[in-house]
Amino acid sequence: MQFRDLKSQYEKYKNEIDNAVQNVFAESSFISGPQVKAFEQRLADYVGVKHCISCANGTDALSLVLTAWNIGKGDAVFVPDFTFFATAEVVSFVGATPIFVDVDPVTFNIDTNKLELKIQEVIELHELIPKVVIPVDLFGLLADYEKIEKIAKKYNLLILEDAAQGFGAEYKGRKACSFGDIATTSFFPAKPLGCYGDGGAIFTNNDEMALLLESLRVHGKGEDKYDNVRIGVNSRLDTIQAAILDVKLTAFISHELDDVNKVYFKYNSLLDGIVEIPIIPQNYLSSFAQYTIKLKSQKQRDELKSYLGTKGIPTLIYYTKTMHNQTAFKHLINNDEDYPVSMDLCKKVLSLPMHPYLSDSEIEFITKSIIEFISK
Ligand SMILES: *Cc1c(COP(=O)(O)O)cnc(C)c1O
């Protein structure tokens, strides 16, 4: 059994993917080939945003946006305490200071009440200027953008939606990557829409920002890449990856997003009352980057993980460490007491195998094994 079965997906789409890649080889336009622009246009249309700027990975996507906004020393950027390292890493990378915010115990996304308290704390300290909030669409579930937008307006913050795990998710029919001022996603193979290597993208309705981001991703180009008007980076999506993603986006739209939600319903129906199951609030559609359950204690979680391991069921812990406890952020001096929820989650969460190709019998075997363990 696979945690995320990329092989089954390749076998199903082998002809289309092989053809797409062969075409790139035959045309030999490996960098910025026509497939890249075409894929960007398709993505922008799907998400419902005017511009899509693809790039080398989801981390670059985030730091390109912070660079375009001129975020740096003296600026405070608010990020959830329970996320993948990259969300906070990019803040320090551009020279700004990440301010960690505890998360909601039900959705695991940034806690909007605590966000406002942290903003007020920063204002009172007079050391940093609040500039940006980076909500994360954790495990495929959109953050609470209605509340975040109100807070951002009140304190004059920019919103950068980190939809690395959220591609395909919806709130009231509006798609992930269309929230906030600018949004980013990742095409790392295990994400909801993954390529066969690294890849990422930025989404915005702002024409000026789109031009600036296009320049920054290719050495600060002006008229062309040998006319350099600013300092940028080299962060492009390979033509081969764009060609593969084009095939995979069709599969994602036509059945994968539905199928992964069917897996969610089946898991939930078999695990309800046994362990704490993921809750998707009304009006939300998750793209289920992860299906994460919560156990009673760290001991129970760790024992369940090894029990499932002996049965050949792979599980992973997203995440074992909060952001404020990462060694790289130790110098920022944060208190565990400010982060009770994210501290607790690190002890109790367990992510089960989750992908659109998980069969009913696999789900039944996994849930049966969990029930066996719990009732022991
Ligand atoms: C994966 C991920 C990223 C980084 O994406 P890469 O393509 O691996 O650089 C950023 N934020 C979150 C929340 C992620 O899960």
Side-chain angles (χ1 to χ4, degrees), residues 57-59 62 83-84 86-87 136 162 164-165 186 188 191 199 319:
N57 56 69
T59 308
L62 290 165
T83 181
F84 178 60
T87 313
V136 174
D162 181 353
Q165 303 180 13
S186 161
F188 182 82
K191 308 280 176 173
Y319 296 94

